[in-house]
Amino acid sequence: MADQAGDAARLVLTTADGVHLVTTNSIGMDLVQEVARLLGSENIRSTRLGGDLTLWHAEDGPGRPRAGRLNAVASGLAAEYGSPPVVGPAVISGPIAHNTIFPLDAAEADRLVNRLRGDGVERALDDDCANHSPCRELLAIPAAQRESLFRLVPANTSDLGPDGIYIHLNDDLVALLVAMGPGESGSFQQAYPVLGHLAERWHTKPTDLLMRAIENMRSDDVTVQTFDQYDHSPMHVVVDQGVSGVAQVVRLEQLLGTDLPHGAIVGLPREHQIIAVPIRKARDLATIAPVLQLVQDIGSKALDRVSLDVFWLHRGRLHPLRAETRNGQLEQIYPPDEFRQLMERLPRD
């Protein structure tokens, strides 16, 4: 996309095709509408990058991050400011100041584009990946065997590279796409991250690879123990000693054999253990305290600890409840507003 001459304001659009300048005359809410048009979605999210830049990207729905290939350029820029990676196209505007969204001035936009185009990210993705790990190892796996080796594994967002494929669980945790390649013994025991540009090389979509991984996880050795709780929904303890571990949370409904329209109270004390209580009625919220107690009893002694908090799993996202305790007892939670609204809607009987 070419911009017009002169000193008109700009937006910077980053896509799989590269980094582009876009001329704009918009400001405020008009600018938001223009960003939504460029991203092709009404569901957009903004992230402030310092005091001078704002990063915009699309979601699958309100509070529902997209799954798929990372935007290497936008994610690299976000990482400079300690912000999480971005999936899909992204737009960079000027600051949000005085409750108004501003574009970039022409000179600032030019400097940003030159920096993003010159940082080597785009060129690195065009290199022959057969010479680089993990692509080298994955390309050596026969195509007929490859699809059966895809899995999802838990990973911290802070550890992600610029081109991973993953399902976003929350700001700290993702389910990362890997393929089980040969380790030192020659058996398929090493988990190699599947990078986004490999999907293009294999003539497929990242979302298709994610769905295949989830399907493969159905055959993994997962145990589900169910414990009845008087007057509450049962507590389920899911254990997967394989590579996926708590990434099995992406298919929790399948594992429990039930729909979760209101979500579930979830604990992740260890890398291979999920504790879950489906939310059916208002009284199920009383299980937050015993789930938290169990999570802290197990997790505090575990070397493979994931979290000592409890979560609300809803529509594929793990919302931390940010539980606070005193003398070992639950004192307060700080859930998202959507959870508070749910509490008011749940049936009482």
Side-chain angles (χ1 to χ4, degrees):
M1 297 180 184
D3 62 306
Q4 301 172 2
D7 293 329
R10 308 284 202 275
L11 298 170
V12 174
L13 172 65
T14 73
T15 69
D17 297 327
V19 181
H20 312 277
L21 272 174
V22 180
T23 301
T24 182
N25 294 316
S26 300
I27 195 171
M29 291 309 298
D30 290 339
L31 185 64
V32 174
Q33 294 177 3
E34 185 165 355
V35 169
R37 178 182 62 79
L38 290 169
L39 295 176
S41 174
E42 295 181 357
N43 298 308
I44 60 175
R45 176 180 289 263
S46 66
T47 302
R48 294 192 184 194
L49 304 181
D52 299 321
L53 300 175
T54 307
L55 179 66
W56 304 81
H57 63 94
E59 297 184 312
D60 286 339
R64 295 171 55 195
R66 283 188 168 178
R69 181 180 177 180
L70 283 179
N71 182 322
V73 174
S75 295
L77 181 64
E80 294 178 14
Y81 294 86
S83 296
V86 176
V87 170
V91 170
I92 303 156
S93 72
I96 299 176
H98 309 295
N99 295 320
T100 301
I101 299 97
F102 293 91
L104 297 160
D105 65 45
E108 185 177 16
D110 287 338
R111 287 194 297 270
L112 179 60
V113 166
N114 290 335
R115 180 160 72 89
L116 294 178
R117 287 175 176 170
D119 64 5
V121 173
E122 291 182 291
R123 291 193 299 272
L125 297 182
D126 292 332
D127 288 344
D128 184 5
C129 60
N131 296 321
H132 309 137
S133 183
C135 299
R136 178 178 60 244
E137 289 81 5
L138 295 181
L139 291 170
I141 298 172
Q145 197 175 22
R146 185 172 59 220
E147 285 198 353
S148 66
L149 304 176
F150 294 138
R151 292 294 189 279
L152 298 179
V153 301
N156 296 321
T157 56
S158 58
D159 296 333
L160 291 176
D163 197 28
I165 300 174
Y166 64 91
I167 295 175
H168 189 95
L169 298 175
N170 59 35
D171 289 344
D172 299 315
L173 190 66
V174 302
L176 180 69
L177 179 68
V178 301
M180 299 307 297
E184 294 180 0
S185 67
S187 61
F188 286 91
Q189 60 182 12
Q190 180 70 39
Y192 292 102
V194 179
L195 302 185
H197 60 275
L198 275 181
E200 297 178 1
R201 189 161 182 154
W202 291 334
H203 305 291
T204 188
K205 299 177 181 177
T207 51
D208 292 339
L209 298 179
L210 289 168
M211 291 303 102
R212 180 61 185 179
I214 293 173
E215 183 64 25
N216 290 342
M217 289 159 64
R218 293 170 64 96
S219 64
D220 291 347
D221 185 13
V222 182
T223 62
V224 182
Q225 291 181 290
T226 301
F227 301 89
D228 290 332
Q229 301 186 100
Y230 177 74
D231 212 27
H232 300 105
S233 292
M235 178 184 294
H236 305 274
V237 178
V238 180
V239 177
D240 171 26
Q241 294 293 351
V243 64
S244 292
V246 296
Q248 293 279 357
V249 77
V250 302
R251 50 182 295 265
L252 188 61
E253 288 185 332
Q254 294 178 5
L255 290 167
L256 302 187
T258 183
D259 292 335
L260 299 172
H262 304 306
I265 303 302
V266 168
L268 307 174
R270 303 179 61 198
E271 290 181 359
H272 300 280
Q273 190 173 46
I274 303 168
I275 300 168
V277 177
I279 299 175
R280 304 293 185 200
K281 298 183 178 181
R283 60 174 176 254
D284 289 326
L285 300 178
T287 65
I288 293 175
V291 169
L292 177 65
Q293 183 65 57
L294 184 58
V295 165
Q296 294 192 343
D297 287 347
I298 297 172
S300 61
K301 305 168 187 174
L303 296 179
D304 59 346
R305 180 191 310 160
V306 176
S307 174
L308 295 180
D309 199 3
V310 285
F311 302 87
W312 175 41
L313 177 68
H314 189 234
R315 296 179 180 174
R317 181 142 190 187
L318 283 168
H319 301 272
L321 296 184
R322 298 182 173 86
E324 290 186 356
T325 60
R326 177 177 290 183
N327 299 324
Q329 301 297 315
L330 176 62
E331 185 173 71
Q332 183 70 39
I333 61 172
Y334 298 91
D337 291 340
E338 192 178 359
F339 184 81
R340 298 182 186 277
Q341 295 166 6
L342 169 73
M343 295 169 65
E344 297 174 358
R345 297 195 308 266
L346 285 172
R348 299 293 170 181
D349 298 323

